[in-house]
Amino acid sequence: MKIPNRIQPLVDDGLIDNVLQRLKSGKEADVYTVMCGGKVQCAKVYKEASQRSFKQAVQYQEGRKVRNSRSARAMQKGSKFGRKQQEEVWHTAEVDALFRLAKAGVRVPEPYMCLDGVLLMELVTDADGAVAPRLSDVILSQEEALTDFATMIRNIVRMLCAGIVHGDLSEFNVLQDEHGPVIIDLPQAVDASANNHAESMFERDVNNITQYYGQFAPQILETRYAKEIWHLFEDGKLTPETVLTGLFVEEVHAVDMDSLLDEIISAEDEYYDRQRAAKERDED
């Protein structure tokens, strides 16, 4: 096939031997299978900001650190150099997340390198060596769903313990290899402690996964892992080995209606007292 313009420099430098086929055209990148030194790998080619359809990029970038102060200032000003730096941060975010998560024991594609907006990484395959399907294209038995859901929850816990929230996790961003689910697509991953939207993103991620597996094992829909896991994380009690129950009871504080009514009546009395006092001053 014709070599994409973004991949051509890697071919010229001998990092890629040949482009085999395009696997996917997504909202933030196109994905190709490529031959590198006799081995089939995956090349993820990030789209320019003007071509990406991924929305709300600003809230995903909140809390990301930029080592170079000049770059940080340029990004804040929105200059041409700053926009270029912002693109590099967006590209490297996935690479950094992949390395951190692989080290934390999360099943993700092994990253190799990221150069000029092209990420080279492991090609995830099924038991027959074919490209692994997305979870959205897989039909599971109830037993398989229960097993894989437990694996996903454990991986999500490991991710959070590593300080990362996926931010866009669903059955469309998970592959199914011969051993189970593999989490992919992490350029929008956020810092769990530094991003104000992390909790809502985390809850959405977990709920998406729960809804998917719940199609095959309805009892999964009764779990409340998102609330339980985040509560433990906030309390500093979450570890990769933490035993979870899937249950969570939110604290409910009883309202003292008598005291509340007394406060309302007292506030009304104060209001009318001020009104009378003002009226008397006007008459004087």
Side-chain angles (χ1 to χ4, degrees):
M1 66 171 289
K2 182 180 178 181
I3 298 175
N5 292 335
R6 298 285 292 278
I7 293 181
Q8 187 64 56
L10 280 73
V11 174
D12 295 339
D13 291 341
L15 298 172
I16 293 177
D17 301 325
N18 192 22
V19 179
L20 304 178
Q21 64 174 321
R22 185 166 73 172
L23 291 179
K24 171 189 172 186
S25 180
K27 52 194 172 186
E28 82 277 347
D30 292 328
V31 181
Y32 299 84
T33 53
V34 297
M35 187 66 71
C36 302
K39 181 181 179 181
V40 180
Q41 295 181 5
C42 188
K44 185 169 186 176
V45 182
Y46 294 100
K47 294 180 179 179
E48 299 290 346
S50 59
Q51 298 177 311
R52 287 200 303 263
S53 61
F54 194 85
K55 306 300 181 183
Q56 299 175 311
V58 173
Q59 74 177 43
Y60 287 91
Q61 293 163 3
E62 179 184 304
R64 290 184 177 176
K65 297 178 181 178
V66 180
R67 295 186 181 89
N68 188 297
S69 58
R70 175 171 174 262
S71 297
R73 289 194 299 272
M75 287 163 59
Q76 290 176 347
K77 292 179 180 178
S79 65
K80 183 177 180 181
F81 173 73
R83 291 193 298 273
K84 182 180 178 182
Q85 293 300 302
Q86 188 66 70
E87 283 300 291
E88 291 184 7
V89 170
W90 184 263
H91 299 161
T92 57
E94 179 162 29
V95 184
D96 293 342
L98 287 171
F99 276 111
R100 285 174 63 183
L101 294 179
K103 185 177 180 181
V106 180
R107 181 66 179 98
V108 294
E110 181 184 355
Y112 301 131
M113 69 171 69
C114 186
L115 185 65
D116 295 330
V118 180
L119 169 61
L120 289 178
M121 58 184 171
E122 170 194 2
L123 176 67
V124 180
T125 59
D126 61 17
D128 299 321
V131 176
R134 288 190 298 180
L135 200 57
S136 57
D137 298 323
V138 174
I139 302 297
L140 301 171
S141 68
Q142 179 171 303
E143 183 179 355
E144 289 170 334
L146 289 169
T147 299
D148 287 353
F149 177 65
T151 299
M152 278 298 297
I153 290 297
R154 190 50 53 189
N155 277 323
I156 288 170
V157 168
R158 292 192 183 106
M159 288 178 68
L160 192 54
C161 288
I164 293 176
V165 173
H166 187 287
D168 192 33
L169 189 60
S170 73
E171 64 270 28
F172 300 102
N173 290 326
V174 179
L175 300 179
Q176 185 81 357
D177 74 2
E178 60 180 312
H179 303 295
V182 182
I183 297 172
I184 62 171
D185 292 342
L186 288 141
Q188 72 294 315
V190 302
D191 187 309
S193 299
N195 191 299
N196 290 321
H197 306 281
E199 181 178 1
S200 61
M201 291 179 186
F202 178 81
E203 186 165 347
R204 184 181 62 203
D205 285 352
V206 177
N207 289 342
N208 285 342
I209 292 301
T210 300
Q211 289 296 319
Y212 170 77
Y213 286 108
Q215 300 175 82
F216 310 106
Q219 59 267 49
I220 288 174
L221 299 175
E222 303 300 320
T223 62
R224 300 193 68 193
Y225 283 110
K227 295 286 188 184
E228 180 186 14
I229 294 169
W230 192 265
H231 181 71
L232 290 167
F233 172 70
E234 282 193 321
D235 283 355
K237 298 177 181 178
L238 186 69
T239 72
E241 292 76 34
T242 297
V243 177
L244 303 172
T245 65
L247 304 174
F248 183 76
V249 179
E250 297 186 58
E251 292 184 8
V252 178
H253 300 285
V255 177
D256 187 338
M257 292 302 298
D258 290 337
S259 297
L260 180 59
L261 289 172
D262 287 343
E263 289 183 14
I264 293 173
I265 293 171
S266 177
E268 288 181 341
D269 289 343
E270 289 180 8
Y271 171 77
Y272 288 120
D273 286 343
R274 287 195 298 271
Q275 291 290 91
R276 284 194 295 271
K279 185 177 180 180
E280 289 173 358
R281 285 195 300 270
D282 292 340
E283 291 175 350
D284 292 341

